[in-house]
Amino acid sequence: MVKNIPAGLRIFTWAFVALVLIFVLAPLIVVAGVSVSESQFIAFPPTGFSLRWFAAIFESDSYVRALLTSLKLAVLVTVGATVVGAGAAIAIHRGRLPGMGLLAGLFLSPLILPSIIFAIGLLMLWSATVGPVSFWALWIGHMVIALPYVIRTTLAVLSESDPFLEEAARTMGAARWQRIVYVVLPQCAPGLAAGAFFAFNISFDEAVVALFLRTPDLVTLPIQIYNQLEFSPDPVVAAVSTLMMGMTVLLIAIIDRFLGIQRFVGT
Amino acid sequence: MRDRFEDLTLAGPGLLLIALAFLLPLFEMFRLSIVGPGGGFTAEHFVRFLTDPYYLGVVWRTISLSLLITAICAIVGFPLAYVMSRVGPRLRLWLIVLIILPLMTSVVVRTFGWMVLLGRGGLVPFTLWKMGFVGRNFTLMHTEAAIVIGMVQVLLPFTTLSILGVVMKIDRRLEEASRTMGASFLATLRTVVLPLAMPGIVAGSLLAFTLSVSSFITPSLLGGVRLPVVAGSIYDAATKTLEWNFAAAQSVILLVGVLVVLVPYMKLSGRRNG
């Protein structure tokens, strides 16, 4: 435990940590609580126990459609961002292209530049050149946001890889594509896997780009929730939200297996 | 040369994506912000925003709330990160997971949780009422307090993890040396750990501030229509009143404001990594 904290302060320390954890977890716990409540009103603490709101999700056309849209989008974003991100990360890691440091910064900039600024630009550009926004506009928007995560996790793994393995493959006569496929990509694998699950989570949970690019036919799950919250929240919203949280817990566990969550944090 | 060509092939799709789907939209936003109704250059959208007391009020609310939110995140985040850095590895893993879980949960879901907690009859107003702090059952929804509470919850994990990354790298022998020389724990924390953690605290705060000034889902749901923020005003102009040039001008102003804060952030975090 924390040995260097004096005994008298220790109790305050733990009380502080407990309070902060309760604070950051409170909205999540409340949503989960509401979702299993029997009451047809939003109620916390929950009264009774019932899973009927979860069943109600699948009886509602709008939720099922939003769920399918979100899943399809997240899967396609994951595939796209992982493939594109792998190439970019390998090129950044090798650093043989001129100005690659600058390009690396450019690749990672969607991480820190607020997505509302880019979302509105994308909406305007798409409308001016392509026409009304569609599923593919949303896909491209989410790709830009997910890409930095794949690049970052892959770079983290590559930075610890052995640079001489590729050299050895070259000496043994491996062609360029063979070195990439048999030597470099297997080394990237844990980072790519972690990045892929990040990409899925981000695309599935993202609300800002999806809100700007929504049309009556193009509604993702977070936007369906947002619409419902603006209109009138009911326990079904809580059930959908709980479903999404369950997905997040699962993804964190998977990312931790592949990369170690601590390494992603950078500690 | 062939090596470069190979790397260019690898990075190509990504570069194309960033150029067409990230840089070009930003460029389009700039273009629209200075185009007048009949075409040609105009500054009227900027003038309209910067001279209207209503919009200046929106800007002021956004900045002052963001400063408060950022300050709370830093003040709570530093001790939390310190404790996290000094516990055993197993407990630290659990604490990190508990901090990352809300971070990776959709902002919409978290805001919904606060709507339940802060609304009329919600747990927070109800408890305050029962404990006698307030005279009657009331709602915290559609107040600036609700925005601050919701936004701190959204941004605290960011700040904490950013500080944690720096505190973890502080040589513990420095603390021991300070203690051996007779400094108390709190004095050591203040004079040794805090200054060394400063780059992390500043970087985390700069990031929290930029995310705070540009967020609108949490402020619009918790603050309601009477307490608009800049990002909400952009959203309304772009999707409700369909004044795209005006929305673009506001976005450019927001972007410039964000970049002013982000440049020192990148210098700080770049030095840390390099």
PDB file of all heavy atoms in Angstrom, chain A residues 4 24 84 94 96 107 114 118 124 127 140 176 180 201 205 214 229, chain B residues 2-3 6-7 14 21 82 104 106 112 153 175 179 214 220 235 244:
ATOM      1  N   ASN A   4       4.559   5.575   2.039  1.00  0.00           N
ATOM      2  CA  ASN A   4       5.156   6.869   2.365  1.00  0.00           C
ATOM      3  C   ASN A   4       4.139   7.912   2.828  1.00  0.00           C
ATOM      4  O   ASN A   4       4.510   8.989   3.250  1.00  0.00           O
ATOM      5  CB  ASN A   4       5.963   7.405   1.169  1.00  0.00           C
ATOM      6  CG  ASN A   4       5.116   7.472  -0.088  1.00  0.00           C
ATOM      7  OD1 ASN A   4       4.029   6.876  -0.132  1.00  0.00           O
ATOM      8  ND2 ASN A   4       5.587   8.177  -1.078  1.00  0.00           N
ATOM      9  N   VAL A  24     -16.807   9.423 -10.526  1.00  0.00           N
ATOM     10  CA  VAL A  24     -16.660   9.140 -11.962  1.00  0.00           C
ATOM     11  C   VAL A  24     -17.499   7.939 -12.394  1.00  0.00           C
ATOM     12  O   VAL A  24     -17.873   7.820 -13.557  1.00  0.00           O
ATOM     13  CB  VAL A  24     -15.184   8.933 -12.420  1.00  0.00           C
ATOM     14  CG1 VAL A  24     -14.408  10.216 -12.301  1.00  0.00           C
ATOM     15  CG2 VAL A  24     -14.519   7.809 -11.686  1.00  0.00           C
ATOM     16  N   VAL A  84      -5.402   0.641 -42.798  1.00  0.00           N
ATOM     17  CA  VAL A  84      -4.736   1.906 -43.140  1.00  0.00           C
ATOM     18  C   VAL A  84      -3.733   2.290 -42.051  1.00  0.00           C
ATOM     19  O   VAL A  84      -2.621   2.738 -42.333  1.00  0.00           O
ATOM     20  CB  VAL A  84      -5.796   3.014 -43.325  1.00  0.00           C
ATOM     21  CG1 VAL A  84      -5.137   4.361 -43.536  1.00  0.00           C
ATOM     22  CG2 VAL A  84      -6.693   2.681 -44.509  1.00  0.00           C
ATOM     23  N   ARG A  94       9.591   3.386 -39.344  1.00  0.00           N
ATOM     24  CA  ARG A  94      10.834   3.297 -40.112  1.00  0.00           C
ATOM     25  C   ARG A  94      11.470   4.674 -40.264  1.00  0.00           C
ATOM     26  O   ARG A  94      12.691   4.790 -40.297  1.00  0.00           O
ATOM     27  CB  ARG A  94      10.547   2.715 -41.486  1.00  0.00           C
ATOM     28  CG  ARG A  94      10.258   1.236 -41.430  1.00  0.00           C
ATOM     29  CD  ARG A  94       9.879   0.762 -42.806  1.00  0.00           C
ATOM     30  NE  ARG A  94       9.821  -0.680 -42.875  1.00  0.00           N
ATOM     31  CZ  ARG A  94       9.398  -1.331 -43.950  1.00  0.00           C
ATOM     32  NH1 ARG A  94       9.018  -0.663 -45.016  1.00  0.00           N
ATOM     33  NH2 ARG A  94       9.369  -2.643 -43.958  1.00  0.00           N
ATOM     34  N   ARG A  96      11.867   6.690 -42.733  1.00  0.00           N
ATOM     35  CA  ARG A  96      12.757   6.929 -43.865  1.00  0.00           C
ATOM     36  C   ARG A  96      12.223   7.995 -44.803  1.00  0.00           C
ATOM     37  O   ARG A  96      12.952   8.506 -45.650  1.00  0.00           O
ATOM     38  CB  ARG A  96      12.959   5.623 -44.653  1.00  0.00           C
ATOM     39  CG  ARG A  96      13.636   4.543 -43.823  1.00  0.00           C
ATOM     40  CD  ARG A  96      13.986   3.352 -44.661  1.00  0.00           C
ATOM     41  NE  ARG A  96      12.807   2.692 -45.201  1.00  0.00           N
ATOM     42  CZ  ARG A  96      12.725   1.376 -45.405  1.00  0.00           C
ATOM     43  NH1 ARG A  96      13.750   0.597 -45.112  1.00  0.00           N
ATOM     44  NH2 ARG A  96      11.646   0.847 -45.916  1.00  0.00           N
ATOM     45  N   PHE A 107      -1.006  12.754 -38.542  1.00  0.00           N
ATOM     46  CA  PHE A 107      -1.813  11.551 -38.364  1.00  0.00           C
ATOM     47  C   PHE A 107      -2.477  11.527 -36.989  1.00  0.00           C
ATOM     48  O   PHE A 107      -3.594  11.055 -36.828  1.00  0.00           O
ATOM     49  CB  PHE A 107      -0.940  10.297 -38.504  1.00  0.00           C
ATOM     50  CG  PHE A 107      -0.831   9.792 -39.904  1.00  0.00           C
ATOM     51  CD1 PHE A 107       0.402   9.615 -40.505  1.00  0.00           C
ATOM     52  CD2 PHE A 107      -1.966   9.481 -40.634  1.00  0.00           C
ATOM     53  CE1 PHE A 107       0.504   9.147 -41.802  1.00  0.00           C
ATOM     54  CE2 PHE A 107      -1.876   9.011 -41.926  1.00  0.00           C
ATOM     55  CZ  PHE A 107      -0.630   8.854 -42.513  1.00  0.00           C
ATOM     56  N   PRO A 114     -10.510  19.032 -31.379  1.00  0.00           N
ATOM     57  CA  PRO A 114     -11.897  18.677 -31.060  1.00  0.00           C
ATOM     58  C   PRO A 114     -12.682  18.242 -32.295  1.00  0.00           C
ATOM     59  O   PRO A 114     -12.588  18.880 -33.341  1.00  0.00           O
ATOM     60  CB  PRO A 114     -12.459  19.975 -30.484  1.00  0.00           C
ATOM     61  CG  PRO A 114     -11.283  20.711 -29.971  1.00  0.00           C
ATOM     62  CD  PRO A 114     -10.145  20.352 -30.863  1.00  0.00           C
ATOM     63  N   PHE A 118     -13.893  19.431 -36.937  1.00  0.00           N
ATOM     64  CA  PHE A 118     -13.692  18.652 -38.140  1.00  0.00           C
ATOM     65  C   PHE A 118     -15.026  18.098 -38.649  1.00  0.00           C
ATOM     66  O   PHE A 118     -15.254  17.996 -39.866  1.00  0.00           O
ATOM     67  CB  PHE A 118     -12.634  17.586 -37.839  1.00  0.00           C
ATOM     68  CG  PHE A 118     -12.895  16.247 -38.414  1.00  0.00           C
ATOM     69  CD1 PHE A 118     -12.697  16.028 -39.766  1.00  0.00           C
ATOM     70  CD2 PHE A 118     -13.317  15.204 -37.608  1.00  0.00           C
ATOM     71  CE1 PHE A 118     -12.930  14.777 -40.299  1.00  0.00           C
ATOM     72  CE2 PHE A 118     -13.547  13.966 -38.147  1.00  0.00           C
ATOM     73  CZ  PHE A 118     -13.356  13.758 -39.500  1.00  0.00           C
ATOM     74  N   MET A 124     -19.882  20.127 -44.418  1.00  0.00           N
ATOM     75  CA  MET A 124     -19.948  21.151 -45.461  1.00  0.00           C
ATOM     76  C   MET A 124     -19.255  20.688 -46.736  1.00  0.00           C
ATOM     77  O   MET A 124     -19.777  20.885 -47.839  1.00  0.00           O
ATOM     78  CB  MET A 124     -19.291  22.441 -44.955  1.00  0.00           C
ATOM     79  CG  MET A 124     -20.120  23.104 -43.876  1.00  0.00           C
ATOM     80  SD  MET A 124     -19.170  24.340 -42.994  1.00  0.00           S
ATOM     81  CE  MET A 124     -20.445  24.994 -41.906  1.00  0.00           C
ATOM     82  N   SER A 127     -21.328  17.915 -48.504  1.00  0.00           N
ATOM     83  CA  SER A 127     -22.524  18.469 -49.146  1.00  0.00           C
ATOM     84  C   SER A 127     -22.159  19.257 -50.401  1.00  0.00           C
ATOM     85  O   SER A 127     -22.909  19.264 -51.373  1.00  0.00           O
ATOM     86  CB  SER A 127     -23.264  19.377 -48.169  1.00  0.00           C
ATOM     87  OG  SER A 127     -23.546  18.679 -46.992  1.00  0.00           O
ATOM     88  N   ILE A 140     -16.150   7.561 -43.247  1.00  0.00           N
ATOM     89  CA  ILE A 140     -14.889   8.303 -43.415  1.00  0.00           C
ATOM     90  C   ILE A 140     -14.608   9.155 -42.175  1.00  0.00           C
ATOM     91  O   ILE A 140     -13.476   9.201 -41.675  1.00  0.00           O
ATOM     92  CB  ILE A 140     -14.952   9.151 -44.705  1.00  0.00           C
ATOM     93  CG1 ILE A 140     -14.781   8.228 -45.899  1.00  0.00           C
ATOM     94  CG2 ILE A 140     -13.895  10.238 -44.702  1.00  0.00           C
ATOM     95  CD1 ILE A 140     -14.836   8.913 -47.237  1.00  0.00           C
ATOM     96  N   ARG A 176      10.513  -7.758 -50.541  1.00  0.00           N
ATOM     97  CA  ARG A 176       9.913  -6.686 -49.736  1.00  0.00           C
ATOM     98  C   ARG A 176       8.592  -7.100 -49.115  1.00  0.00           C
ATOM     99  O   ARG A 176       8.372  -6.928 -47.926  1.00  0.00           O
ATOM    100  CB  ARG A 176       9.682  -5.461 -50.623  1.00  0.00           C
ATOM    101  CG  ARG A 176      10.944  -4.702 -50.896  1.00  0.00           C
ATOM    102  CD  ARG A 176      10.751  -3.660 -51.975  1.00  0.00           C
ATOM    103  NE  ARG A 176      12.029  -3.057 -52.251  1.00  0.00           N
ATOM    104  CZ  ARG A 176      12.549  -2.081 -51.517  1.00  0.00           C
ATOM    105  NH1 ARG A 176      11.888  -1.589 -50.503  1.00  0.00           N
ATOM    106  NH2 ARG A 176      13.731  -1.593 -51.804  1.00  0.00           N
ATOM    107  N   ILE A 180       7.449  -7.641 -45.067  1.00  0.00           N
ATOM    108  CA  ILE A 180       6.300  -6.979 -44.418  1.00  0.00           C
ATOM    109  C   ILE A 180       5.336  -8.015 -43.864  1.00  0.00           C
ATOM    110  O   ILE A 180       4.936  -7.956 -42.691  1.00  0.00           O
ATOM    111  CB  ILE A 180       5.557  -6.074 -45.432  1.00  0.00           C
ATOM    112  CG1 ILE A 180       6.494  -5.018 -45.973  1.00  0.00           C
ATOM    113  CG2 ILE A 180       4.302  -5.487 -44.794  1.00  0.00           C
ATOM    114  CD1 ILE A 180       6.258  -3.627 -45.510  1.00  0.00           C
ATOM    115  N   ASN A 201     -14.569   0.483 -30.433  1.00  0.00           N
ATOM    116  CA  ASN A 201     -15.199   1.193 -29.311  1.00  0.00           C
ATOM    117  C   ASN A 201     -15.487   2.644 -29.657  1.00  0.00           C
ATOM    118  O   ASN A 201     -16.563   3.168 -29.367  1.00  0.00           O
ATOM    119  CB  ASN A 201     -14.285   1.106 -28.080  1.00  0.00           C
ATOM    120  CG  ASN A 201     -14.928   1.746 -26.859  1.00  0.00           C
ATOM    121  OD1 ASN A 201     -14.591   2.855 -26.492  1.00  0.00           O
ATOM    122  ND2 ASN A 201     -15.886   1.064 -26.269  1.00  0.00           N
ATOM    123  N   ASP A 205     -19.239   4.299 -29.964  1.00  0.00           N
ATOM    124  CA  ASP A 205     -19.661   5.258 -28.939  1.00  0.00           C
ATOM    125  C   ASP A 205     -19.694   6.704 -29.418  1.00  0.00           C
ATOM    126  O   ASP A 205     -20.232   7.571 -28.739  1.00  0.00           O
ATOM    127  CB  ASP A 205     -18.704   5.185 -27.738  1.00  0.00           C
ATOM    128  CG  ASP A 205     -19.057   4.050 -26.806  1.00  0.00           C
ATOM    129  OD1 ASP A 205     -20.124   3.430 -27.012  1.00  0.00           O
ATOM    130  OD2 ASP A 205     -18.283   3.774 -25.882  1.00  0.00           O
ATOM    131  N   ARG A 214     -26.014  13.109 -39.223  1.00  0.00           N
ATOM    132  CA  ARG A 214     -27.207  12.263 -39.159  1.00  0.00           C
ATOM    133  C   ARG A 214     -28.240  12.711 -40.195  1.00  0.00           C
ATOM    134  O   ARG A 214     -28.326  13.889 -40.550  1.00  0.00           O
ATOM    135  CB  ARG A 214     -27.823  12.314 -37.762  1.00  0.00           C
ATOM    136  CG  ARG A 214     -28.539  13.612 -37.474  1.00  0.00           C
ATOM    137  CD  ARG A 214     -29.271  13.566 -36.157  1.00  0.00           C
ATOM    138  NE  ARG A 214     -29.448  14.937 -35.681  1.00  0.00           N
ATOM    139  CZ  ARG A 214     -30.122  15.241 -34.578  1.00  0.00           C
ATOM    140  NH1 ARG A 214     -30.640  14.295 -33.836  1.00  0.00           N
ATOM    141  NH2 ARG A 214     -30.257  16.500 -34.222  1.00  0.00           N
ATOM    142  N   LEU A 229     -33.113  11.475 -25.304  1.00  0.00           N
ATOM    143  CA  LEU A 229     -32.863  12.312 -24.124  1.00  0.00           C
ATOM    144  C   LEU A 229     -33.421  13.713 -24.326  1.00  0.00           C
ATOM    145  O   LEU A 229     -33.919  14.330 -23.382  1.00  0.00           O
ATOM    146  CB  LEU A 229     -31.358  12.399 -23.833  1.00  0.00           C
ATOM    147  CG  LEU A 229     -30.681  11.112 -23.362  1.00  0.00           C
ATOM    148  CD1 LEU A 229     -29.225  11.376 -23.009  1.00  0.00           C
ATOM    149  CD2 LEU A 229     -31.401  10.508 -22.173  1.00  0.00           C
TER     150      LEU A 229
ATOM    151  N   ARG B   2      14.023   3.054 -53.444  1.00  0.00           N
ATOM    152  CA  ARG B   2      12.964   2.028 -53.421  1.00  0.00           C
ATOM    153  C   ARG B   2      12.395   1.883 -52.022  1.00  0.00           C
ATOM    154  O   ARG B   2      11.218   1.587 -51.860  1.00  0.00           O
ATOM    155  CB  ARG B   2      13.546   0.687 -53.907  1.00  0.00           C
ATOM    156  CG  ARG B   2      13.903   0.736 -55.388  1.00  0.00           C
ATOM    157  CD  ARG B   2      14.123  -0.641 -55.938  1.00  0.00           C
ATOM    158  NE  ARG B   2      12.950  -1.498 -55.730  1.00  0.00           N
ATOM    159  CZ  ARG B   2      12.953  -2.785 -56.022  1.00  0.00           C
ATOM    160  NH1 ARG B   2      14.037  -3.354 -56.492  1.00  0.00           N
ATOM    161  NH2 ARG B   2      11.869  -3.506 -55.819  1.00  0.00           N
ATOM    162  N   ASP B   3      13.264   2.106 -51.021  1.00  0.00           N
ATOM    163  CA  ASP B   3      12.773   2.069 -49.647  1.00  0.00           C
ATOM    164  C   ASP B   3      11.721   3.147 -49.421  1.00  0.00           C
ATOM    165  O   ASP B   3      10.680   2.901 -48.846  1.00  0.00           O
ATOM    166  CB  ASP B   3      13.931   2.298 -48.664  1.00  0.00           C
ATOM    167  CG  ASP B   3      14.752   1.032 -48.490  1.00  0.00           C
ATOM    168  OD1 ASP B   3      14.294  -0.016 -48.985  1.00  0.00           O
ATOM    169  OD2 ASP B   3      15.828   1.105 -47.885  1.00  0.00           O
ATOM    170  N   GLU B   6       8.526   2.300 -51.050  1.00  0.00           N
ATOM    171  CA  GLU B   6       7.803   1.279 -50.285  1.00  0.00           C
ATOM    172  C   GLU B   6       7.062   1.919 -49.102  1.00  0.00           C
ATOM    173  O   GLU B   6       5.885   1.662 -48.869  1.00  0.00           O
ATOM    174  CB  GLU B   6       8.786   0.225 -49.767  1.00  0.00           C
ATOM    175  CG  GLU B   6       8.122  -0.894 -48.999  1.00  0.00           C
ATOM    176  CD  GLU B   6       9.142  -1.782 -48.310  1.00  0.00           C
ATOM    177  OE1 GLU B   6      10.313  -1.788 -48.730  1.00  0.00           O
ATOM    178  OE2 GLU B   6       8.757  -2.459 -47.338  1.00  0.00           O
ATOM    179  N   ASP B   7       7.758   2.786 -48.374  1.00  0.00           N
ATOM    180  CA  ASP B   7       7.124   3.431 -47.219  1.00  0.00           C
ATOM    181  C   ASP B   7       5.976   4.335 -47.640  1.00  0.00           C
ATOM    182  O   ASP B   7       4.961   4.427 -46.959  1.00  0.00           O
ATOM    183  CB  ASP B   7       8.167   4.249 -46.444  1.00  0.00           C
ATOM    184  CG  ASP B   7       9.082   3.333 -45.652  1.00  0.00           C
ATOM    185  OD1 ASP B   7       8.923   2.105 -45.790  1.00  0.00           O
ATOM    186  OD2 ASP B   7       9.939   3.835 -44.910  1.00  0.00           O
ATOM    187  N   GLY B  14      -3.319   6.208 -45.704  1.00  0.00           N
ATOM    188  CA  GLY B  14      -3.534   7.048 -44.536  1.00  0.00           C
ATOM    189  C   GLY B  14      -3.376   8.518 -44.861  1.00  0.00           C
ATOM    190  O   GLY B  14      -4.189   9.349 -44.457  1.00  0.00           O
ATOM    191  N   ALA B  21     -10.086  13.843 -45.964  1.00  0.00           N
ATOM    192  CA  ALA B  21     -11.192  13.799 -45.002  1.00  0.00           C
ATOM    193  C   ALA B  21     -10.923  14.608 -43.744  1.00  0.00           C
ATOM    194  O   ALA B  21     -11.777  14.716 -42.877  1.00  0.00           O
ATOM    195  CB  ALA B  21     -11.494  12.343 -44.619  1.00  0.00           C
ATOM    196  N   TYR B  82      -1.182  10.878  -8.008  1.00  0.00           N
ATOM    197  CA  TYR B  82      -0.080  10.565  -7.096  1.00  0.00           C
ATOM    198  C   TYR B  82      -0.345   9.262  -6.356  1.00  0.00           C
ATOM    199  O   TYR B  82       0.518   8.382  -6.297  1.00  0.00           O
ATOM    200  CB  TYR B  82       0.134  11.712  -6.095  1.00  0.00           C
ATOM    201  CG  TYR B  82       1.234  11.396  -5.115  1.00  0.00           C
ATOM    202  CD1 TYR B  82       2.568  11.483  -5.505  1.00  0.00           C
ATOM    203  CD2 TYR B  82       0.945  10.976  -3.819  1.00  0.00           C
ATOM    204  CE1 TYR B  82       3.586  11.157  -4.643  1.00  0.00           C
ATOM    205  CE2 TYR B  82       1.963  10.642  -2.934  1.00  0.00           C
ATOM    206  CZ  TYR B  82       3.280  10.737  -3.355  1.00  0.00           C
ATOM    207  OH  TYR B  82       4.281  10.392  -2.503  1.00  0.00           O
ATOM    208  N   MET B 104     -14.044   5.539 -21.599  1.00  0.00           N
ATOM    209  CA  MET B 104     -14.372   4.867 -22.853  1.00  0.00           C
ATOM    210  C   MET B 104     -15.870   4.660 -23.039  1.00  0.00           C
ATOM    211  O   MET B 104     -16.298   4.061 -24.016  1.00  0.00           O
ATOM    212  CB  MET B 104     -13.631   3.536 -22.941  1.00  0.00           C
ATOM    213  CG  MET B 104     -12.151   3.732 -23.219  1.00  0.00           C
ATOM    214  SD  MET B 104     -11.239   2.212 -23.375  1.00  0.00           S
ATOM    215  CE  MET B 104     -12.067   1.418 -24.745  1.00  0.00           C
ATOM    216  N   SER B 106     -19.604   6.026 -23.832  1.00  0.00           N
ATOM    217  CA  SER B 106     -20.128   7.114 -24.655  1.00  0.00           C
ATOM    218  C   SER B 106     -20.550   8.309 -23.798  1.00  0.00           C
ATOM    219  O   SER B 106     -21.169   8.151 -22.747  1.00  0.00           O
ATOM    220  CB  SER B 106     -21.323   6.622 -25.466  1.00  0.00           C
ATOM    221  OG  SER B 106     -21.763   7.633 -26.328  1.00  0.00           O
ATOM    222  N   PHE B 112     -26.606  11.068 -19.692  1.00  0.00           N
ATOM    223  CA  PHE B 112     -27.902  10.522 -19.285  1.00  0.00           C
ATOM    224  C   PHE B 112     -27.884  10.181 -17.789  1.00  0.00           C
ATOM    225  O   PHE B 112     -28.815  10.499 -17.044  1.00  0.00           O
ATOM    226  CB  PHE B 112     -28.213   9.291 -20.148  1.00  0.00           C
ATOM    227  CG  PHE B 112     -29.442   8.540 -19.740  1.00  0.00           C
ATOM    228  CD1 PHE B 112     -30.580   9.214 -19.300  1.00  0.00           C
ATOM    229  CD2 PHE B 112     -29.473   7.163 -19.811  1.00  0.00           C
ATOM    230  CE1 PHE B 112     -31.725   8.516 -18.942  1.00  0.00           C
ATOM    231  CE2 PHE B 112     -30.611   6.456 -19.448  1.00  0.00           C
ATOM    232  CZ  PHE B 112     -31.735   7.138 -19.003  1.00  0.00           C
ATOM    233  N   GLN B 153     -16.728  15.183 -14.716  1.00  0.00           N
ATOM    234  CA  GLN B 153     -16.725  13.723 -14.776  1.00  0.00           C
ATOM    235  C   GLN B 153     -16.185  13.241 -16.120  1.00  0.00           C
ATOM    236  O   GLN B 153     -15.474  12.242 -16.192  1.00  0.00           O
ATOM    237  CB  GLN B 153     -18.146  13.203 -14.544  1.00  0.00           C
ATOM    238  CG  GLN B 153     -18.226  11.723 -14.234  1.00  0.00           C
ATOM    239  CD  GLN B 153     -18.505  10.884 -15.463  1.00  0.00           C
ATOM    240  OE1 GLN B 153     -18.813  11.397 -16.529  1.00  0.00           O
ATOM    241  NE2 GLN B 153     -18.360   9.588 -15.320  1.00  0.00           N
ATOM    242  N   GLU B 175      12.032  11.745  -3.463  1.00  0.00           N
ATOM    243  CA  GLU B 175      11.117  11.874  -2.330  1.00  0.00           C
ATOM    244  C   GLU B 175      11.781  11.382  -1.052  1.00  0.00           C
ATOM    245  O   GLU B 175      11.696  12.011  -0.006  1.00  0.00           O
ATOM    246  CB  GLU B 175       9.849  11.051  -2.572  1.00  0.00           C
ATOM    247  CG  GLU B 175       8.833  11.729  -3.455  1.00  0.00           C
ATOM    248  CD  GLU B 175       7.677  10.794  -3.732  1.00  0.00           C
ATOM    249  OE1 GLU B 175       6.897  10.531  -2.804  1.00  0.00           O
ATOM    250  OE2 GLU B 175       7.574  10.308  -4.877  1.00  0.00           O
ATOM    251  N   ARG B 179      12.553  13.331   2.443  1.00  0.00           N
ATOM    252  CA  ARG B 179      12.065  12.887   3.753  1.00  0.00           C
ATOM    253  C   ARG B 179      13.233  12.700   4.737  1.00  0.00           C
ATOM    254  O   ARG B 179      13.143  13.071   5.905  1.00  0.00           O
ATOM    255  CB  ARG B 179      11.284  11.568   3.642  1.00  0.00           C
ATOM    256  CG  ARG B 179      10.015  11.654   2.795  1.00  0.00           C
ATOM    257  CD  ARG B 179       9.017  12.623   3.355  1.00  0.00           C
ATOM    258  NE  ARG B 179       8.517  12.267   4.678  1.00  0.00           N
ATOM    259  CZ  ARG B 179       7.522  11.430   4.898  1.00  0.00           C
ATOM    260  NH1 ARG B 179       6.918  10.844   3.903  1.00  0.00           N
ATOM    261  NH2 ARG B 179       7.126  11.154   6.138  1.00  0.00           N
ATOM    262  N   SER B 214     -14.918  23.048 -26.483  1.00  0.00           N
ATOM    263  CA  SER B 214     -15.493  22.602 -27.746  1.00  0.00           C
ATOM    264  C   SER B 214     -16.571  21.537 -27.577  1.00  0.00           C
ATOM    265  O   SER B 214     -17.074  21.017 -28.554  1.00  0.00           O
ATOM    266  CB  SER B 214     -14.382  22.065 -28.644  1.00  0.00           C
ATOM    267  OG  SER B 214     -13.725  21.022 -27.979  1.00  0.00           O
ATOM    268  N   SER B 220     -25.296  20.924 -23.625  1.00  0.00           N
ATOM    269  CA  SER B 220     -26.640  21.197 -24.154  1.00  0.00           C
ATOM    270  C   SER B 220     -27.687  20.352 -23.440  1.00  0.00           C
ATOM    271  O   SER B 220     -28.806  20.825 -23.210  1.00  0.00           O
ATOM    272  CB  SER B 220     -26.687  20.993 -25.665  1.00  0.00           C
ATOM    273  OG  SER B 220     -26.631  19.629 -25.971  1.00  0.00           O
ATOM    274  N   TYR B 235     -23.505  24.261 -33.487  1.00  0.00           N
ATOM    275  CA  TYR B 235     -24.388  23.155 -33.863  1.00  0.00           C
ATOM    276  C   TYR B 235     -25.755  23.684 -34.316  1.00  0.00           C
ATOM    277  O   TYR B 235     -26.300  23.243 -35.326  1.00  0.00           O
ATOM    278  CB  TYR B 235     -24.535  22.196 -32.681  1.00  0.00           C
ATOM    279  CG  TYR B 235     -25.496  21.069 -32.951  1.00  0.00           C
ATOM    280  CD1 TYR B 235     -25.181  20.066 -33.864  1.00  0.00           C
ATOM    281  CD2 TYR B 235     -26.733  21.002 -32.307  1.00  0.00           C
ATOM    282  CE1 TYR B 235     -26.063  19.040 -34.129  1.00  0.00           C
ATOM    283  CE2 TYR B 235     -27.624  19.980 -32.555  1.00  0.00           C
ATOM    284  CZ  TYR B 235     -27.287  18.999 -33.475  1.00  0.00           C
ATOM    285  OH  TYR B 235     -28.169  17.994 -33.734  1.00  0.00           O
ATOM    286  N   TRP B 244     -24.804  28.194 -42.657  1.00  0.00           N
ATOM    287  CA  TRP B 244     -23.519  27.498 -42.692  1.00  0.00           C
ATOM    288  C   TRP B 244     -22.327  28.436 -42.623  1.00  0.00           C
ATOM    289  O   TRP B 244     -21.320  28.109 -41.998  1.00  0.00           O
ATOM    290  CB  TRP B 244     -23.449  26.618 -43.942  1.00  0.00           C
ATOM    291  CG  TRP B 244     -24.170  25.334 -43.707  1.00  0.00           C
ATOM    292  CD1 TRP B 244     -25.092  25.097 -42.709  1.00  0.00           C
ATOM    293  CD2 TRP B 244     -24.044  24.121 -44.426  1.00  0.00           C
ATOM    294  NE1 TRP B 244     -25.536  23.811 -42.790  1.00  0.00           N
ATOM    295  CE2 TRP B 244     -24.909  23.191 -43.838  1.00  0.00           C
ATOM    296  CE3 TRP B 244     -23.276  23.737 -45.527  1.00  0.00           C
ATOM    297  CZ2 TRP B 244     -25.039  21.894 -44.301  1.00  0.00           C
ATOM    298  CZ3 TRP B 244     -23.399  22.442 -45.996  1.00  0.00           C
ATOM    299  CH2 TRP B 244     -24.273  21.525 -45.391  1.00  0.00           C
TER     300      TRP B 244
END
